[in-house]
Amino acid sequence: MIITLQNQVSNEARNQLEALLGQVTGNLKRTVSTMMDEREVIVLDGSRLDKQALATISQQDAVERVVEVKTQYQLVSRAFKDERSRIEIGDAENGQPIIIGGSNATPVVIAGPCAVEGREQLLSTATAVKAAGAQILRGGAFKPRTSPYQFQGLGIEGLHYLKEARELTGLPVITEVMEPEMVEVVAEYANILQIGSRNMQNFPLLYAAGRNSFHRPVMLKRGLSATIEEWLLAAEYIVSAGNPYVILCERGIRSFDTQTRNLLDLSCVPLLHELTHLPVVVDPSHGTGRRELVPTMSRAGIAAGADGLILEVHPDPNSALCDGRQSITPDQLKSVVREAQLMNTLMERVAEHTHVA
Ligand code: PEP
Ligand code: MN
């Protein structure tokens, strides 16, 4: 249940509301108070409240409206906010902000190496990514690797190169943060914080990203075998901690088949647009694990309604320190960007047609 408070609330009215909520919810349930679209909201699990309690809450002086949300995830649900969220990336320094999400934004392309391997590799890839028409640069400085003996990323040094790449190309950057204590440091450098699949349910990390003092948007990747509900509840942690700027990223889930690295669940894209107002980005690189499948699944992602793509690109994929098998070259990226634009134009025509019919 989400209670939106009046714009101006007296202390008396607020205390009265809080006392009432304490009474009806008991001490065991958690009540969260946060800001959403510049309004203060109080969120709680209202599933056990009876009609009488609901009516009493709605009549409080402090209350503007009460929305009963039937799902466990609430602030991220379309039942609460029907209009799709638009997230602005970048700042005035770098010209026009890039928009992810909303009802008629062009899908964005985020591209770059899996890992920042060194200054030259990153700067040359960034230049090529920009020339290919992508709008945001990706690159991991802190890498969550399956084996402790694999390359773990350059850490802070990698963040410096990302900053330099942004200054060189004007592209905003996204990079992964793996631990709560590092959120502020990474947020100082990155325009978007990435929370990886392996950390989708790292709740202290979700809270820290939700509270980052730079107000950086967060791209939350789907857990290796997370249900859509678990994923939306993970997003709810970030939003309820005060950061409404969350982008969901479908990057494939575990399956029994070993032919592809993961199973790219494109059906989740239109489904998520039904369930949540948050933007949805598709990652065909991790979703397939094979570079030859990336162009087709990129087109398919746009056709499914994705608000953007995130792609791994390397100047020499065979020598990449991480995820070379699924990395495309800058030349291939150029075609993917072009095809994504064509696909989007086609999708707009399909939407017009559906509208007319
Ligand atoms: C990545 O984007 O390089 C990455 C590690 O992704 P995921 O968390 O989806 O495995
Ligand atoms: Mn990777």
Side-chain angles (χ1 to χ4, degrees), residues 1-3 42-48 54 65-81 236 275:
M1 181 172 83
I2 305 177
I3 306 165
I42 297 179
V43 193
L44 57 131
D45 173 2
S47 56
R48 299 250 176 97
L54 281 174
R65 70 174 185 139
V66 175
V67 180
E68 271 187 89
V69 180
K70 302 264 187 275
T71 49
Q72 279 207 76
Y73 52 86
Q74 305 206 40
L75 293 167
V76 305
S77 76
R78 276 195 92 164
F80 171 59
K81 178 182 166 189
E236 185 86 13
L275 303 176

Side-chain angles (χ1 to χ4, degrees), residues 114 138 143-144 176 194-198 221-222 224 251 261 283 286 310 312 323:
C114 176
R138 65 151 287 151
K143 295 302 305 173
E176 179 158 357
Q194 173 173 328
I195 295 188
S197 293
R198 289 153 193 83
K221 300 192 90 175
R222 183 176 187 176
L224 305 181
R251 47 77 73 203
R261 182 174 175 185
D283 174 350
H286 294 85
I310 179 163
E312 288 190 337
D323 288 350

